[in-house]
Amino acid sequence: MREFHFKAMTANDMLYDLCIIGAGPMGSAAARHATLIEPGLKVCVIGPKEPKNYQETLECSHGIFSSHYDEGRIATLLHQWQSRAELARRSQSRFSEIAQQTGIEFYERVGHLVIGNQNDPYIQRVQKIMACMKTQVEILDKRGLSEKYPFLSQTLSEDTFILSESSGYVSPRRLIKAQLKAARLQGCALIDDVVDHVTEVNQSDGSKQMKVSTRKGQIYLARKVLLAPGGFIGFRDLLPKGKKLDIKLMKPRLAFAELTDRDVRRLSNMPVITWKDKLRSIHCYILPPIKYPDGKYYIKIGRRSEEEFHSADEVAEYFKRDPSEKAADSELLGLLLKLIKDLEVVSSHGDSCFTAHTPTGRLYCDMITPTLGVAAVGNGCGVDTSEEIGNMAARMIVSGRWNHDLPYEKFKAKFKVESSVPSSL
Ligand SMILES: Cc1cc2nc3c(=O)[nH]c(=O)nc-3n(C[C@H](O)[C@H](O)[C@H](O)COP(=O)(O)OP(=O)(O)OC[C@H]3O[C@@H](n4cnc5c(N)ncnc54)[C@H](O)[C@@H]3O)c2cc1C
């Protein structure tokens, strides 16, 4: 971000009180909250629409995609950190209100099982947070599990320990649609574009404005800008010159298994499953049967990997890869077949997606300058918590300072030291 004096305004120039960059889970939630906190505030959200198909993906010359192009994201209260669990709890508590206001349903309360081993560090941390937050859970053993969900395998070990809670999953696409609809109804402008530059402009009266320049050649002026572009934040000139957020972009491992009609019926009460057993090197999550835009039902199984992206080109190439090259992860498919009895997989595939991570494991929500804020980096759970993150970010950017009851220190942005920054991140 450069600082310079801006003189002439073109016919396309528009002055907003707040410009939000990125119409994903965080940006769309921030837009709804900003228009609620201060009715009459002139707000816009700028972000590109999701490509409708592979051809449109190939034609996306801007190379900006997202982490939310999917139908299922786990929404749970069983998190390893209290602040994250609190963000998730508050987010979930407002889901039905948003669905009612917009007529868009996005949350399926199918239940969530954490299958593991009582001595597993993850299970122990989750139990600690559950106790602090008085989260309602049922504890099951292997027998209790097979009574409740007879289609789950008997091959689990005898010491299997199961936490069962009443959360479920969210369709990120529909959640965003609902948040943006609510924001629009409250006066927010939605702009389909990609932002290339954000620059600070000195006004003749000594005040500052932000100049937002887009791929389509538009210029928008705003008193403040909130950056919510997810892991793409380093791919455009959005931050002040020389500033790079300390984030890692990881390639998750994934497999989608297409189901037969028989299995869709048989698994109709399947919950979301998190399966973690360090002793047996098992670490994955499974979404129940979900209908995708092609009309077919799939179960998704995924896990984090240590594979990293290092440049915008690498990410764009990965998203544009031919679908036939996006094979399902065979090890994950094997785990799925182990867990669900007699599962018949009609076909399988993988997908392009990335998750953004911080060294603190928590998202960044911070003011970078008095007129520029950031709310980004979901650490693999940015949909689940996005509604309250939107509230937190909107309060911060509207008032220009930290304005939330959770402690600021947890969300403080960390920057990379210049010498460790790869050229294109
Ligand atoms: C395979 C996979 C599984 C996951 N599972 C879960 C889960 O179970 N539960 C969960 O809560 N989370 C999960 N996540 C993580 C979650 O999807 C992300 O944390 C979340 O999408 C982050 O939201 P965001 O708004 O910060 O970023 P994004 O979702 O990436 O949205 C950012 C938006 O900003 C736009 N944008 C970027 N750059 C610009 C620009 N220059 N100008 C304008 N617009 C721009 C993008 O196009 C995008 O629409 C998963 C992610 C993946 C990949």
Side-chain angles (χ1 to χ4, degrees):
M1 197 180 75
R2 296 177 305 272
E3 185 162 318
F4 71 104
H5 290 268
F6 183 67
K7 290 191 187 87
M9 275 178 71
T10 71
N12 288 326
D13 291 342
M14 296 165 215
L15 177 64
Y16 287 94
D17 294 311
L18 173 62
C19 170
I20 298 171
I21 299 175
M26 296 195 196
S28 62
R32 188 178 77 83
H33 280 282
T35 47
L36 269 180
I37 292 167
E38 225 180 283
L41 199 74
K42 204 166 171 224
V43 181
C44 69
V45 183
I46 308 180
K49 286 203 175 112
E50 177 180 351
K52 285 195 194 81
N53 49 42
Y54 180 55
Q55 190 53 37
E56 281 196 13
T57 304
L58 282 180
E59 286 162 10
C60 263
S61 54
H62 53 68
I64 296 288
F65 300 97
S66 94
S67 291
H68 62 253
Y69 298 160
D70 198 359
E71 291 299 333
R73 292 284 183 263
I74 300 172
T76 175
L77 301 181
L78 303 183
H79 284 287
Q80 298 186 66
W81 284 297
Q82 193 160 350
S83 56
R84 195 182 274 179
E86 186 55 29
L87 291 172
R89 189 185 66 75
R90 293 186 199 183
S91 294
Q92 273 190 32
S93 73
R94 290 194 292 268
F95 284 168
S96 63
E97 180 191 317
I98 300 168
Q100 237 170 29
Q101 186 197 350
T102 59
I104 301 170
E105 294 292 338
F106 53 83
Y107 179 42
E108 298 291 336
R109 212 180 170 98
V110 293
H112 174 212
L113 297 179
V114 176
I115 301 181
N117 180 289
Q118 199 160 12
N119 301 319
D120 189 275
Y122 167 81
I123 300 279
Q124 290 183 347
R125 277 199 301 274
V126 165
Q127 280 189 287
K128 226 185 208 170
I129 302 302
M130 268 165 42
C132 289
M133 297 193 52
K134 301 189 171 56
T135 311
Q136 299 276 322
V137 289
E138 189 184 351
I139 295 179
L140 300 172
D141 58 12
K142 212 181 124 174
R143 205 163 127 211
L145 181 74
S146 63
E147 278 169 18
K148 209 167 170 180
Y149 303 110
F151 48 82
L152 291 181
S153 168
Q154 301 304 295
T155 60
L156 294 170
S157 58
E158 282 310 316
D159 60 356
T160 298
F161 177 80
I162 299 135
L163 300 169
S164 169
E165 60 147 348
S166 64
S167 298
Y169 70 88
V170 157
S171 157
R173 287 189 177 116
R174 280 184 283 137
L175 169 66
I176 293 166
K177 205 170 162 195
Q179 295 281 27
L180 291 178
K181 180 173 178 185
R184 187 172 46 76
L185 291 172
Q186 287 155 196
C188 177
L190 310 181
I191 300 165
D192 176 9
D193 208 339
V194 166
V195 174
D196 285 332
H197 306 280
V198 177
T199 48
E200 199 168 66
V201 176
N202 289 319
Q203 297 297 104
S204 47
D205 64 0
S207 66
K208 308 246 187 212
Q209 278 181 4
M210 306 301 277
K211 182 187 171 204
V212 175
S213 318
T214 73
R215 171 105 182 156
K216 291 183 181 168
Q218 300 286 355
I219 289 173
Y220 301 92
L221 293 178
R223 294 186 212 286
K224 288 180 187 164
V225 167
L226 177 71
L227 303 176
F232 295 84
I233 193 154
F235 294 174
R236 291 293 190 278
D237 196 9
L238 308 179
L239 287 162
K241 199 166 187 300
K243 287 231 180 246
K244 304 272 179 189
L245 282 175
D246 193 354
I247 63 174
K248 268 188 182 177
L249 304 183
M250 314 298 292
K251 189 187 285 186
R253 290 172 56 186
L254 274 180
F256 288 83
E258 184 191 340
L259 304 182
T260 59
D261 292 345
R262 175 186 155 271
D263 277 341
V264 174
R265 284 192 300 276
R266 186 172 69 98
L267 306 176
S268 62
N269 76 331
M270 182 175 161
V272 168
I273 297 172
T274 302
W275 189 8
K276 296 214 186 206
D277 191 338
K278 208 171 177 185
L279 280 179
R280 294 167 186 86
S281 304
I282 295 174
H283 171 192
C284 64
Y285 63 85
I286 304 168
L287 275 294
I290 296 178
K291 193 175 183 182
Y292 274 73
D294 64 2
K296 297 174 180 174
Y297 282 82
Y298 296 88
I299 284 185
K300 179 177 74 173
I301 176 165
R303 64 166 291 174
R304 196 177 156 171
S305 83
E306 292 311 311
E307 211 177 327
E308 235 183 288
F309 290 104
H310 295 285
S311 72
D313 285 349
E314 232 182 274
V315 171
E317 185 277 325
Y318 171 67
F319 272 85
K320 291 181 177 186
R321 205 169 278 178
D322 191 288
S324 64
E325 290 173 39
K326 296 174 186 172
D329 184 295
S330 55
E331 192 188 329
L332 289 175
L333 272 183
L335 274 180
L336 188 64
L337 292 169
K338 190 173 163 195
L339 188 68
I340 301 178
K341 278 189 217 164
D342 307 323
L343 187 70
E344 243 182 280
V345 177
V346 179
S347 71
S348 66
H349 65 269
D351 201 5
S352 299
C353 199
F354 73 62
T355 51
H357 299 264
T358 63
T360 58
R362 298 189 176 91
L363 93 133
Y364 294 144
C365 187
D366 203 350
M367 292 301 294
I368 311 279
T369 73
T371 48
L372 180 71
V374 64
V377 198
N379 289 283
C381 49
V383 172
D384 175 30
T385 48
S386 61
E387 160 53 20
E388 182 60 12
I389 292 172
N391 180 31
M392 188 159 86
R395 285 165 168 277
M396 175 188 76
I397 193 76
V398 169
S399 56
R401 61 182 171 81
W402 190 250
N403 188 7
H404 195 267
D405 60 324
L406 291 178
Y408 160 68
E409 294 69 38
K410 297 208 185 293
F411 306 102
K412 192 171 161 34
K414 283 195 185 322
F415 295 92
K416 277 188 178 162
V417 196
E418 198 61 36
S419 61
S420 68
V421 180
S423 58
S424 47
L425 268 187

